[in-house]
Amino acid sequence: ETGVTQSPTHLIKTRGQQVTLRCSSQSGHNTVSWYQQALGQGPQFIFQYYREEENGRGNFPPRFSGLQFPNYSSELNVNALELDDSALYLCASSRVAGGTQYFGPGTRLTVL
Amino acid sequence: SQELEQSPQSLIVQEGKNLTINCTSSKTLYGLYWYKQKYGEGLIFLMMLQKGGEEKSHEKITAKLDEKKQQSSLHITASQPSHAGIYLCGAADVAAGNKLTFGGGTRVLVKP
């Protein structure tokens, strides 16, 4: 196990709603990255947080936003949910911004 | 933007047989990561390669990065049912906090 935890495990929402996903990084890690993995595809980078600041963003609209807290845990917020947002959301932590990323078990989001 | 293509997309091997997965990049690789994912779960870090010609092994899994740093291979010797899963290669973008761009994955099934 990596020591990265995510909650909740599964989530079902309806179109237009908002959702918050949580991630606790591995002890000693100050960087958290979020990825979206659609069924049958590789993960897609959403954004990264390093010491509470956004440190890079992928090709995702502004309704995807995040936070990192002083203890380096992180949240991913998605507003105005769309059906295509249904996916496995993965968070990964690393010791430093350029270090090896260790992934949590993921949160499965289903949008109906 | 960098793109990674994995081949084959899926394979079925008899237990005890060897298998090889390839990962080809559209650009020079400055860091290439291999991960394993069980269906619907998080990614497990296997190995990271940086130098052209580099080769690393862990238990029965060997990964290589070619001299030109645009292709990597993952080889499993004497496969076991525990090797079943999805293998993903990821390229590091060092200019963007080491965000990872992933290939589409290779689904491996080991028949007992």
Side-chain angles (χ1 to χ4, degrees):
Chain A
E1 291 199 0
T2 63
V4 180
T5 61
Q6 292 186 243
S7 63
T9 306
H10 297 89
L11 203 52
I12 299 175
K13 291 285 187 178
T14 56
R15 246 181 338 178
Q17 284 189 311
Q18 177 265 341
V19 69
T20 297
L21 310 182
R22 294 177 176 84
C23 172
S24 291
S25 59
Q26 189 170 320
S27 178
H29 288 191
N30 60 23
T31 304
V32 172
S33 303
W34 286 93
Y35 294 82
Q36 180 195 67
Q37 186 178 26
L39 201 60
Q41 298 181 20
Q44 299 286 320
F45 175 75
I46 303 175
F47 42 57
Q48 181 183 86
Y49 279 85
Y50 169 63
R51 293 188 173 183
E52 303 178 60
E53 297 285 332
E54 188 176 287
N55 186 43
R57 188 179 181 92
N59 192 23
F60 280 81
R63 59 188 185 85
F64 285 77
S65 62
L67 281 174
Q68 187 179 31
F69 299 100
N71 66 355
Y72 303 127
S73 65
S74 177
E75 284 183 356
L76 164 65
N77 299 289
V78 187
N79 294 321
L81 284 167
E82 301 176 0
L83 297 179
D84 285 349
D85 295 333
S86 295
L88 181 67
Y89 288 84
L90 296 160
C91 98
S93 74
S94 52
R95 189 172 298 278
V96 292
T100 297
Q101 295 180 34
Y102 296 90
F103 285 78
T107 293
R108 171 71 63 187
L109 173 64
T110 301
V111 182
L112 302 176
Chain B
S1 62
Q2 188 165 26
E3 293 184 358
L4 296 181
E5 185 171 337
Q6 287 186 236
S7 62
Q9 289 187 324
S10 64
L11 72 158
I12 302 172
V13 295
Q14 197 71 39
E15 183 177 356
K17 297 295 185 183
N18 302 338
L19 66 97
T20 299
I21 299 167
N22 294 303
C23 174
T24 302
S25 173
S26 59
K27 297 183 179 180
T28 300
L29 293 162
Y30 292 100
L32 189 285
Y33 292 78
W34 283 100
Y35 288 88
K36 178 186 175 185
Q37 183 179 32
K38 292 189 177 179
Y39 296 99
E41 298 182 7
L43 278 61
I44 300 167
F45 170 69
L46 296 175
M47 276 171 276
M48 189 270 277
L49 305 165
Q50 278 186 305
K51 301 175 184 177
E54 186 174 12
E55 180 176 321
K56 288 186 178 178
S57 294
H58 178 67
E59 298 182 341
K60 295 186 177 181
I61 301 176
T62 300
K64 301 178 185 179
L65 183 61
D66 76 352
E67 290 287 345
K68 294 183 178 179
K69 296 176 65 175
Q70 286 203 256
Q71 189 170 47
S72 179
S73 61
L74 186 83
H75 183 78
I76 298 177
T77 304
S79 59
Q80 301 170 348
S82 61
H83 290 127
I86 301 170
Y87 290 82
L88 292 152
C89 63
D93 183 344
V94 295
N98 226 41
K99 75 166 192 178
L100 296 173
T101 299
F102 286 94
T106 295
R107 289 144 189 83
V108 173
L109 179 64
V110 180
K111 292 176 62 177

